[in-house]
Each structure stands twice: as C-alpha cells, then as structure tokens.
Amino acid sequence: MSDETQRAPDGASVATPAVLDSAHIGDIKGAFGTIGQHEVGRTGLRGRVLAMLAVLGPGIIVMVGDNDAGGVATYSQAGQKYGTSLLWVLVLLVPVLIVNQEMVIRLGAVTGVGHGKLIFERFGKFWGAFSVIDLFILNFLTIVTEFIGVDLALGYFGVSKYISVPLAALLLIAVTASGSFRRWERFMFVFVAANLLVIPLAFLSHPSATTIAHHTVVPGIAGGTNSTSILLIIAIVGTTVAPWQLFFQQSNIIDKRITTRWINYERLDTVLGSVITVAGAGLLVVICAAAFGGTSLAGHFTDAGGVAAGLRSHVGGAAGSMYAIVLLNASLIGAGAVTLATSYAVGDTFGIRHSLHRGLRDAKGFYASFAGVVALAAGIVLIPQAPLGVITTAVQALAGVLLPSASVFLLVLCNDREVLGPWVNRAWLNALAVLILGVLLMLSGILMATTLFPSINVTQLTIELAIVLAVGLVGFAIAAVASRRRTGPVAPSGPQPPRESWTMPQIALLNRPKLARPVKLAMWVLRAYLVVAVVLLVVKAVQLSG
C-alpha cells in the first residue's frame, strides 16, 4: 500500500511521504542548490554532482554538531591523558554512526513523520511520552553545557560570560528564525567550515605521523586497562553517538523535503559527515597528545578552557586562540542543532507547524519553543554558583540511559512493514544493528553503575557485562530464529508498487505493530532498566547538589 504519488512532467511517479506539515512538500532548497519537486532523477556526472550539492546538509550538520563542547572536552582529555593510544576507538565509531543514521534517513524520507511522532503512534502513549520527555530533559541539559563551552571559549579572550552567553543565545535565535531553510543551512555550513581550524592547529602541535598511523589501526591503551581508561572510552562513545541525532536528522530530512528519490545522496551526505566528524575528533586527540606529551600538563586535564591556556603556554598564542575558536564554534553548532531537534520534537508531539521554511508569524510555537529553550539554558549558566558540574555529569549519565532505548525504537521501526514497506532492514543490517545495540546497552550499564557507585571495579564489571552480552545475543538470535520459523516471513498484502515510489500511508490508517516475543521481552527488560536507572540517577543528582 502506498501513499498517493504525484506525476512528473515525463509521466513518472514521484513518491510523496505522508507529511504532517504542508511546508515539508516542495522543492529542495539547500545551501548549495535546488532540486525541483517533480524531478525524478539526474543523469551525467555534472547533474549528479549538482544534485549531491543540493541534498548535502542534514548528514554533515548532525555529525559535526555532535562534536560539540562536550565532545571537544572529551577528545582533548583523551589526548592529554592517553596520548594517541585511543584513536582506534574513534575509527570503530564510524560504522556505528553510519548504521544508526542510515536507518534514520530511510524513516525520514519514506514516512515524512518525525521520530517522536512515529514512537507515539507505533508504541503507544507511554513510550511516546517517555521518549519525548526524556529527550527534552537531556537536550536541555546538553544545551546548558554548550553555553558553558561558550563561556570557557570567550572567557579565554577575557570576555565576561554576562556578555558572551546572551550574545551567543541571540545569534542562535536570529539564525534559526530567519524564515528560510536555505539561509539557516548556509549559516550551519559556516560553522562546519570553522570546524576545519583543527587542521592548522594540528600542524602547529607537530604530531608524529608514524605514531598516529599506528594507534589508528592497532588497539591499545597507554598505561594499560583500568577504570579510568574504560570510563573515558565510554565517554568518547557517549559523546559521539547521541539520542538527539536520531530526532534531528529525521526531522531535518523531512524539513528539507528529501524523498526516497534522493535517498542515496543523503546516505552519502551522512557517510561524509561521519568521516569528517571522526577525523575532527581524532585531530583534537592528536593536538593535545602532541602538545602536552612529556610536559607537566600531561595527564592533568581540567576543562576545555584549561586546554586552551595550556596550548598557549606550550605551543603558542595562535594555537590557544585557534582552540578557543574551535570550542566556541563547537558550542554554537551543538546548541543550534540540539535545540532545533527539541523544537522539531515539540512540533511533532503537539501537532504545531514546525518548519524552517516558515516565518515567525507562520510558526509561532515552533520558534517560541526554540527561543525559550535557548534563553532558559543560557540563563542557568549566568546564575552565580549554579551546579554546572552536576549538570555536566547528569548529561553523560542520562545520555547513557537513553541511547539504548532510542536505538531499540529505531531498530523496531526499521523492521515495521506498515511504516517502511519494502524499505525495511535487511537481515544482515538487523544482525549488525543488534550487535551495536548490545554494545551500547553494555556501555550504558557501565556508565550508570560508575556514576551511581564511583568505587565499583569497572574492569571487572566490564568483563562480567561482556559475558552477559555475549550470552544474551546468542539467546536473542535463537529466540528470533525460532519465532520466525513459527510465524513465517511477513509478506505485504496486495499488489505493491515499485520500491522507489513506495511511501508510508497516512499514519492514522496504519495497523498497530505485532511485536515478536523476543522483541516484547526486550522492551519489558528495557522498561525496567530505564525506570530503575532514572530513579537512581535522580537520587544521585540530589546527593551531589546537596
């Protein structure tokens, strides 16, 4: 079954997703080009390059936006404490990012419905409310940390936070509320370009190419495996793969009007973004490893502001200034992307207009939610003696709690034939996604345990959870195969149109999903884990703030 399709001038059918906002239908108006609504494809090298330039955006922006203030601090800490020995961890994250976000691409292009809305409709009000409320809380806390990054970055140049933070907030609101998707995307690409400052900064630090190459492909940890190193690896994973990315890219693809006709270009956009992001993260590790190795600052990370000051002392004033600009840029693009993900989710949840194609008068609630979140987050940073350290800790812990649940929803949705029809996951992709989900769940458990119980033996806990994970994956595979043999493969009813023109019907017309027994069991286990983890996290936050 397919949603109604439109006809191009040559008579070919063009898929039209079941969008919830009429502004999500029309020409693709990207930062670097336009694609007509009724175009069905482009031929020749020049045509394809121009199409790629027009589509380019959501994948790169979501990935570079994830190298935010927290990311800059985490990668810098890794380099300052462990040299380049953890570069291999970043390499392993490239396929994780691509697999997760490729599923998001299909959901956005095929359905025309945001991630939060799909969870509400397919899993019910409990899971919908749980996922969206937790997203709002996590995103808000993350945005607070972005403004902490703004304070540290401009504080390096002697600018008071009472000037820097309000100006940054006003800039973000002005950029987003311009009423033009193309104008917003061009602003985002300015931030993406500024991220390239890490390249000359790396040359200034004079790293060893041989050492970099070795640690990129050979796993190892300087000083050996211990609780501190394991926690830092988890922090690297947590800051690189975040729940807000799923919500942002799916909605941004819809807002940009990317349909299944252009889905391969968006996949390439996401691959490029993944590589650029991991390369940028790796360069930050390399910069701090080369600059601080063998100095009194080696292994003594304080915060990103301390790194900028250290670079000024050991490499030069230009290096310190470049790092501070990189931190400022990361904070701005991170705050812009995470806040927009929140506003998109607000639009999906409450059924209000939510498109960057609309002006202020036409989407008051959408832009009001953006401005309100930015203003409130910036205001907290300006409060004297605000518990910013507790907020930073809570962001890491809550992200660890929510990432597995977000990944579970994503995986189940990408196997829902009512939603994706012929675009559902292949078997090999499901196997890879389940493996990634299992590892993320294990890391989430370690992060939560260490946040709540700092004295726990992390190395022993990691070994035990790895064994549990291996047993659980084998058991899940056996149960899934047995369930499939009992029920047989699910075949779509009635004649099916070509894959290229298939889009999800109106979401209200879909039958509720029938989950297999292993999936239901996993959902109940996840529910129990989330309830216990959130309760313990609240208790810990109260203790820290007391």
Side-chain angles (χ1 to χ4, degrees), residues 234-322:
I234 294 172
I236 291 172
V237 175
T239 196
T240 309
V241 186
W244 70 264
Q245 292 173 278
L246 311 179
F247 289 80
F248 174 86
Q249 190 170 5
Q250 185 167 332
S251 291
N252 201 236
I253 285 171
I254 296 165
D255 204 5
K256 191 166 183 177
R257 303 163 176 170
I258 295 172
T259 61
T260 53
R261 184 67 61 182
W262 312 102
I263 201 168
N264 285 334
Y265 293 98
E266 181 53 30
R267 284 169 170 157
L268 180 57
D269 176 34
T270 300
V271 171
L272 288 173
S274 302
V275 173
I276 290 171
T277 295
V278 169
L283 285 175
L284 285 169
V285 173
V286 166
I287 289 162
C288 292
F292 301 127
T295 73
S296 60
L297 292 179
H300 295 90
F301 175 84
T302 53
D303 56 33
V307 172
L311 288 172
R312 178 177 57 196
S313 300
H314 292 277
V315 181
S321 297
M322 283 186 184

Side-chain angles (χ1 to χ4, degrees), residues 285-543:
V285 173
V286 166
I287 289 162
C288 292
F292 301 127
T295 73
S296 60
L297 292 179
H300 295 90
F301 175 84
T302 53
D303 56 33
V307 172
L311 288 172
R312 178 177 57 196
S313 300
H314 292 277
V315 181
S321 297
M322 283 186 184
Y323 182 90
I325 294 172
V326 167
L327 174 61
L328 174 63
N329 179 71
S331 302
L332 291 174
I333 192 171
V338 177
T339 310
L340 187 55
T342 307
S343 296
Y344 278 140
V346 168
D348 273 332
T349 301
F350 297 104
I352 61 176
R353 293 172 174 175
H354 53 293
S355 173
L356 293 170
H357 291 285
R358 296 186 180 277
L360 278 170
R361 292 183 178 180
D362 211 17
K364 296 183 181 68
F366 175 62
Y367 291 116
S369 66
F370 186 96
V373 170
V374 167
L376 187 56
I380 287 178
V381 176
L382 297 179
I383 297 174
Q385 298 180 339
L388 302 181
V390 175
I391 290 173
T392 302
T393 301
V395 166
Q396 287 187 329
L398 190 56
V401 171
L402 294 184
L403 183 56
S405 64
S407 298
V408 166
F409 292 132
L410 177 63
L411 183 57
V412 176
L413 285 171
C414 284
N415 283 278
D416 189 338
R417 286 194 174 274
E418 291 277 339
V419 170
L420 285 184
W423 292 93
V424 293
N425 281 0
R426 310 292 190 194
W428 67 267
L429 181 56
N430 278 332
L432 181 57
V434 168
L435 175 62
I436 291 172
L437 174 61
V439 173
L440 292 177
L441 189 58
M442 182 186 77
L443 296 179
S444 171
I446 296 171
L447 182 59
M448 279 303 305
T450 52
T451 299
L452 299 168
F453 311 106
S455 61
I456 197 169
N457 187 323
V458 180
T459 304
Q460 183 63 32
L461 176 64
T462 303
I463 294 172
E464 292 172 353
L465 288 181
I467 294 172
V468 172
L469 172 63
V471 173
L473 288 175
V474 171
F476 185 86
I478 293 172
V481 170
S483 177
R484 185 175 178 82
R485 286 178 177 175
R486 285 195 304 270
T487 60
V490 179
S493 58
Q496 296 295 301
R499 188 169 186 256
E500 291 74 17
S501 61
W502 198 99
T503 59
M504 185 186 76
Q506 292 295 328
I507 195 167
L509 303 178
L510 302 184
N511 296 318
R512 292 298 294 270
K514 296 180 180 179
L515 301 178
R517 187 174 299 173
V519 176
K520 289 181 179 179
L521 177 61
M523 295 287 286
W524 277 105
V525 172
L526 178 63
R527 178 180 293 193
Y529 166 75
L530 288 172
V531 171
V532 172
V534 169
V535 169
L536 291 176
L537 180 58
V538 170
V539 172
K540 184 67 175 182
V542 171
Q543 291 175 346

